[in-house]
């Protein structure tokens, strides 16, 4: 009977669909020290492909009157650490963007906003959640479809506050045209904070909830 039960258990495990693991990063977003919204990332890891969902909603008010709204959602499919497909839509104030692209025969092809292809063994987006991004020379902007060269510099360890706790974290600066970002990672390379200076000199901070 024990042998039969064990065989039945093995059979059930074989028939169960591949197990999916999920990880979340949920940030409050501040502009010039004022809370303006949130940005969430959910990574679902599967045997063949990983699925990353990014969702951001910001609203800036002046005297309680909304003067700026931002809404972004993207779905990225990853083959291990390499981008396989992306689909995103963004409403940035009065501007609307849509990005659609996929990998074919080791070449990533943009379908929208413009048809463009670039050869890359392992393309990546501005995927702050994946520390391998820090080794890239070019990154795909999933809001605009641009694929700029980036400069990433290690700034050393910094003491920062995360969830009301002081921690030591590795700090990096990421520079690209119109992009000035500082990132922090815990010892296990877990992304914990982001700061950015916008082209119009606003200070953006992502704080883990």
């Amino acid at each position: 009977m024990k042998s039969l039960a064990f065989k039945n258990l093995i059979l059930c495990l074989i028939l169960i669909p591949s197990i999916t693991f999920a990880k979340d990063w949920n940030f409050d977003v501040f502009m010039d020290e004022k809370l303006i919204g949130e940005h969430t990332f959910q990574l679902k890891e599967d045997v063949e492909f990983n699925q990353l969902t990014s969702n951001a909603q910001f609203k800036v008010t002046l005297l309680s009157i909304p003067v700026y709204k931002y809404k972004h959602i993207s779905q990225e499919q990853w083959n291990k650490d390499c981008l396989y497909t992306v689909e995103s839509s963004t409403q940035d104030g009065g501007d609307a963007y849509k990005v659609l692209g996929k990998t074919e025969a080791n070449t990533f092809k943009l379908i929208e906003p413009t048809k463009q292809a670039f050869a890359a063994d392992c393309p990546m987006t501005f995927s702050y959640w994946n520390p391998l991004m820090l080794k890239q020379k070019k990154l795909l902007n999933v809001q605009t479809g641009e694929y700029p060269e980036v400069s990433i510099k290690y700034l050393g360890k910094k003491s920062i506050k995360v969830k009301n706790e002081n921690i030591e974290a590795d700090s990096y600066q990421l520079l690209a045209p119109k992009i000035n970002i500082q990132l922090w990672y815990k010892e296990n390379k877990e992304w914990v904070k982001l700061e950015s200076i916008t082209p119009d000199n606003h200070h953006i901070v992502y704080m883990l909830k």
Side-chain angles (χ1 to χ4, degrees):
M1 290 297 293
K2 288 184 178 179
S3 177
L4 180 60
F6 180 75
K7 289 180 179 179
N8 287 338
L9 174 61
I10 295 298
L11 179 61
C12 288
L13 290 174
I14 293 174
L15 294 177
I16 291 175
S18 58
I19 299 174
T20 299
F21 299 94
K23 187 171 184 179
D24 298 325
W25 294 263
N26 301 313
F27 292 92
D28 281 328
V29 180
F30 297 82
M31 185 177 77
D32 302 329
E33 300 185 350
K34 181 180 179 181
L35 180 65
I36 61 170
E38 64 178 9
H39 197 161
T40 64
F41 301 80
Q42 183 181 64
L43 179 67
K44 293 183 178 179
E45 298 179 308
D46 212 332
V47 174
E48 184 175 5
F49 291 105
N50 296 334
Q51 183 75 32
L52 189 282
T53 301
S54 170
N55 196 327
Q57 295 193 54
F58 310 151
K59 181 171 69 174
V60 179
T61 61
L62 181 63
L63 299 177
S64 300
I65 300 174
V67 294
Y68 170 76
K69 290 183 179 181
Y70 177 92
K71 186 175 182 180
H72 168 83
I73 185 166
S74 67
Q75 300 283 347
E76 302 172 20
Q77 194 175 43
W78 291 76
N79 183 355
K80 296 182 180 178
D81 293 306
C82 305
L83 182 66
Y84 190 73
T85 67
V86 62
E87 182 175 2
S88 75
S89 62
T90 307
Q91 190 70 39
D92 184 1
D95 299 321
Y97 301 89
K98 185 174 182 179
V99 174
L100 186 63
K102 62 180 179 180
T103 297
E104 293 181 355
N106 294 327
T107 298
F108 191 88
K109 294 183 178 181
L110 281 177
I111 301 168
E112 292 190 50
T114 58
K115 291 186 178 180
Q116 179 184 353
F118 52 84
D121 292 335
C122 186
M124 296 188 77
T125 64
F126 285 76
S127 47
Y128 312 118
W129 46 272
N130 186 342
L132 290 179
M133 182 211 70
L134 300 170
K135 299 180 180 180
Q136 304 305 303
K137 301 299 183 182
K138 300 183 75 173
L139 294 170
L140 178 66
N141 186 326
V142 298
Q143 174 176 317
T144 65
E146 297 172 314
Y147 190 51
E149 292 186 356
V150 298
S151 172
I152 301 174
K153 179 182 179 181
Y154 179 59
L155 300 179
K157 288 190 176 295
K158 308 286 184 180
S159 178
I160 62 171
K161 182 171 287 188
V162 177
K163 296 184 178 180
N164 294 319
E165 179 184 356
N166 291 319
I167 66 169
E168 289 290 317
D170 291 309
S171 178
Y172 295 83
Q173 183 181 47
L174 189 159
L175 297 176
K178 298 182 181 180
I179 295 175
N180 183 351
I181 291 172
Q182 190 169 354
L183 300 160
W184 286 267
Y185 295 84
K186 292 170 64 174
E187 289 185 359
N188 58 1
K189 292 299 182 183
E190 180 183 353
W191 176 37
V192 292
K193 188 178 179 181
L194 176 150
E195 290 191 19
S196 175
I197 302 297
T198 68
D200 50 355
N201 209 36
H202 288 292
H203 184 207
I204 305 296
V205 179
Y206 279 40
M207 297 291 292
L208 272 178
K209 293 185 178 183

